[in-house]
Amino acid sequence: MKKNGSVIFALIFMFLVLFVGFSLLNFTLIHNRVVKARNIHNSRSELLHNHLIVQLHRDTEKIKSIRFDSAVDEYIEIFNNTLYPDIYKDPVKIKRSFQFNTRDLLLFKLTKVNFRIESISSNGRHKWISESIFNIISGDIPFDLFPVLINSGQFNRNREAFIENHLASTEKHNIFISDNESVFDIKSYLAMLLGLDREDLTLETLNKLFKQANNGSEFMDGIYLSLSEENTGPVFVQGNTEKIILSVEEKYQIIEIVQNNNYFKIRYSGDQFEHKTGGSSLSEYKKFNEKIIVNGNVEVLEAGSDPALAIDSYPELIILGNLNICSSITGSRTNVLKNSKPSITILLAPSPFLPNPETPSLRFYSSKPLIIHGSINIKGSIFNKAPEVHISGNLYCFDIMNKSNIEVTSPNSSISPSINNFFIKDLTIIKGFRTESTEEIFEDEK
């Protein structure tokens, strides 16, 4: 009995050893298959992803660099599978597609384009997909929609290369050089701000508007504030000006204007403002429209504090002559939800009050780098004598003479002076290209 029991025990033990051995072998085989499958998947995924990223980079640069000679409507002739065909790079297929959504706005058409790239495995069950969007803006385009627009009316390729070299720090696809006709209607804009008809915009009319001496007398140099029951502003400066100084005091924006023996200071925030001029002062609960008009040259524009722009402050300087910017003009970041910064808008144009006005110029004069939080639109040229200038806003001018470095970055939002008075005609641009998502997809996820 003992002998038989030992044999049975031995057989059971051998069976268990064989069972465990076969189980371990089977587990090892399964594990190796899983590891092999995972490695194959990872290798294929990496290959698909790499093809997708390379193609996305190439197409992004191609789309951003497109330049149109005029406004176009048939976008499908520019973005289609003939010009962006499917590509086969065994074992990967690259497929691209476009979808369009067009809206007619006041001056132009805005077409939102959804651009999709698929990198697909040979069995079609595994893919990587990227979704990008960009805008096509076509028609009469306001200046503030261009990061940099140089519009001299004398376009040539040599001049294009010269200007781009002087803006080497700015991304090339953000620089637009065009000889299309532009509209810089400073006279209509001033008439609107002053509440006058365009034909009535004369110094004689301004003399009456600001209640100066008897009708027909000369409109004297000085600093005047337009003030009514409903509105405050603009400030109108007649004649050349020594200084305009921007500064911040607590929550208040301060603008000081110095002109020979004339001095003007306005302090405002929200619906409250106060101003001082000469020996008089005034404080009221009204909103100042932040417009400063100078019919003459401004020798110095500078900051009196850092930052120089208060929260929710967007002053606009309209200079009908030359301007020298001698310091940085910056603002601290406002509420993150607004996704914007306080900023300054600078407009330079020939004076409509003179029969043969000279073309104005803006000069950056500083021994230190300058930072400008705001937009600059000039019906004239820019001369840079600062070691470095960074503009966070749009830039429009006829020409740039720059011996150092100018960099322009376009913020997420900007303040447009007037889309009806400052725009370039019959043009198309591509703006706002960004990749929204990149994801991996399997067949069983459909």
Side-chain angles (χ1 to χ4, degrees):
M1 287 293 295
K2 289 183 179 181
K3 194 170 183 180
N4 290 337
S6 296
V7 171
I8 292 172
F9 245 161
L11 290 173
I12 292 172
F13 177 75
M14 289 180 63
F15 175 78
L16 289 174
V17 169
L18 288 173
F19 177 78
V20 171
F22 278 117
S23 296
L24 288 173
L25 178 62
N26 187 52
F27 176 80
T28 300
L29 291 174
I30 293 173
H31 174 73
N32 288 340
R33 288 174 183 171
V34 170
V35 170
K36 183 178 179 181
R38 184 182 296 127
N39 289 338
I40 290 173
H41 168 81
N42 290 341
S43 177
R44 184 175 60 218
S45 178
E46 184 178 4
L47 178 66
L48 292 172
H49 181 262
N50 289 345
H51 276 282
L52 179 81
I53 296 302
V54 169
Q55 194 61 50
L56 177 61
H57 174 74
R58 289 174 179 171
D59 288 343
T60 299
E61 293 302 309
K62 179 180 177 180
I63 291 170
K64 285 182 177 180
S65 63
I66 291 175
R67 290 291 184 265
F68 302 92
D69 294 328
S70 63
V72 296
D73 293 323
E74 299 300 328
Y75 307 121
I76 198 166
E77 295 180 1
I78 301 167
F79 301 107
N80 53 49
N81 285 118
T82 300
L83 298 178
Y84 294 83
D86 295 346
I87 301 171
Y88 297 90
K89 296 181 178 179
D90 193 45
V92 178
K93 176 184 178 181
I94 302 293
K95 184 177 180 180
R96 295 170 289 180
S97 61
F98 298 89
Q99 290 183 332
F100 307 94
N101 182 17
T102 299
R103 290 188 296 156
D104 288 324
L105 301 179
L106 183 63
L107 293 176
F108 55 86
K109 286 185 177 181
L110 175 64
T111 301
K112 183 177 180 180
V113 184
N114 184 290
F115 177 44
R116 181 184 176 101
I117 303 179
E118 298 180 50
S119 178
I120 310 168
S121 66
S122 56
N123 60 17
R125 297 170 58 190
H126 188 185
K127 64 176 69 173
W128 274 87
I129 297 175
S130 77
E131 297 276 355
S132 301
I133 61 172
F134 61 92
N135 295 315
I136 301 173
I137 303 171
S138 175
D140 296 338
I141 305 177
F143 295 157
D144 63 297
L145 294 183
F146 296 87
V148 179
L149 176 59
I150 313 296
N151 182 235
S152 65
Q154 299 176 349
F155 174 79
N156 62 70
R157 293 296 175 188
N158 291 333
R159 192 65 189 150
E160 180 180 36
F162 176 81
I163 291 172
E164 287 178 348
N165 287 337
H166 283 67
L167 291 166
S169 297
T170 302
E171 292 186 39
K172 190 173 181 180
H173 61 263
N174 284 331
I175 302 172
F176 295 84
I177 302 172
S178 173
D179 58 358
N180 285 46
E181 182 183 354
S182 65
V183 172
F184 203 112
D185 191 356
I186 196 70
K187 187 171 183 178
S188 294
Y189 186 52
L190 290 175
M192 180 186 69
L193 293 180
L194 294 165
L196 300 171
D197 291 334
R198 191 177 190 277
E199 294 73 21
D200 293 336
L201 189 70
T202 65
L203 292 181
E204 289 77 14
T205 305
L206 294 183
N207 196 20
K208 297 176 184 178
L209 179 68
F210 293 112
K211 298 178 181 178
Q212 296 306 298
N214 296 329
N215 293 346
S217 63
E218 182 182 355
F219 186 44
M220 303 296 293
D221 286 1
I223 306 170
Y224 309 101
L225 174 63
S226 176
L227 185 62
S228 67
E229 293 183 0
E230 299 83 16
N231 302 307
T232 303
V235 174
F236 192 95
V237 184
Q238 172 63 13
N240 294 333
T241 301
E242 293 177 30
K243 280 187 180 182
I244 297 179
I245 306 167
L246 302 172
S247 57
V248 174
E249 183 181 292
E250 297 176 344
K251 65 177 182 177
Y252 293 95
Q253 177 68 58
I254 297 174
I255 302 176
E256 298 173 271
I257 304 172
V258 180
Q259 183 198 52
N260 297 325
N261 296 323
N262 297 317
Y263 174 78
F264 178 94
K265 176 181 179 180
I266 190 164
R267 181 177 182 264
Y268 64 91
S269 175
D271 292 333
Q272 183 180 6
F273 85 94
E274 63 182 48
H275 80 89
K276 295 180 180 180
T277 177
S280 63
S281 64
L282 176 68
S283 178
E284 293 206 23
Y285 286 94
K286 292 182 179 178
K287 189 174 182 63
F288 175 51
N289 70 2
E290 301 192 85
K291 314 294 184 185
I292 308 290
I293 304 167
V294 180
N295 186 32
N297 301 324
V298 176
E299 292 299 319
V300 173
L301 171 63
E302 64 182 7
S305 66
D306 183 19
L309 302 173
I311 291 176
D312 295 327
S313 177
Y314 302 94
E316 183 177 309
L317 302 185
I318 305 164
I319 313 298
L320 308 175
N322 301 323
L323 172 66
N324 298 318
I325 298 180
C326 302
S327 77
S328 294
I329 307 292
T330 61
S332 56
R333 190 165 183 81
T334 63
N335 190 328
V336 175
L337 295 177
K338 294 178 67 174
N339 203 21
S340 64
K341 290 182 179 180
S343 62
I344 187 170
T345 299
I346 297 173
L347 289 170
L348 257 68
S351 174
F353 302 105
L354 297 175
N356 297 299
E358 295 183 358
T359 301
S361 62
L362 182 147
R363 288 176 170 81
F364 293 110
Y365 270 122
S366 177
S367 59
K368 299 179 181 179
L370 300 182
I371 301 173
I372 309 297
H373 286 170
S375 296
I376 297 175
N377 298 281
I378 308 172
K379 195 173 183 179
S381 299
I382 289 177
F383 298 86
N384 179 29
K385 294 190 176 181
E388 183 177 343
V389 177
H390 179 86
I391 300 170
S392 179
N394 79 286
L395 174 63
Y396 169 88
C397 64
F398 284 174
D399 205 353
I400 290 180
M401 302 297 178
N402 174 30
K403 294 184 178 179
S404 57
N405 177 35
I406 294 180
E407 182 179 20
V408 182
T409 58
S410 185
N412 294 327
S413 61
S414 61
I415 306 297
S416 175
S418 172
I419 62 172
N420 295 316
N421 302 122
F422 307 100
F423 59 86
I424 189 164
K425 290 186 173 182
D426 189 39
L427 192 61
T428 294
I429 64 172
I430 290 174
K431 186 175 174 65
F433 190 108
R434 66 182 184 272
T435 299
E436 295 282 277
S437 64
T438 303
E439 61 179 334
E440 188 176 21
I441 292 180
F442 301 93
E443 187 181 46
D444 57 4
E445 294 183 1
K446 292 181 180 180

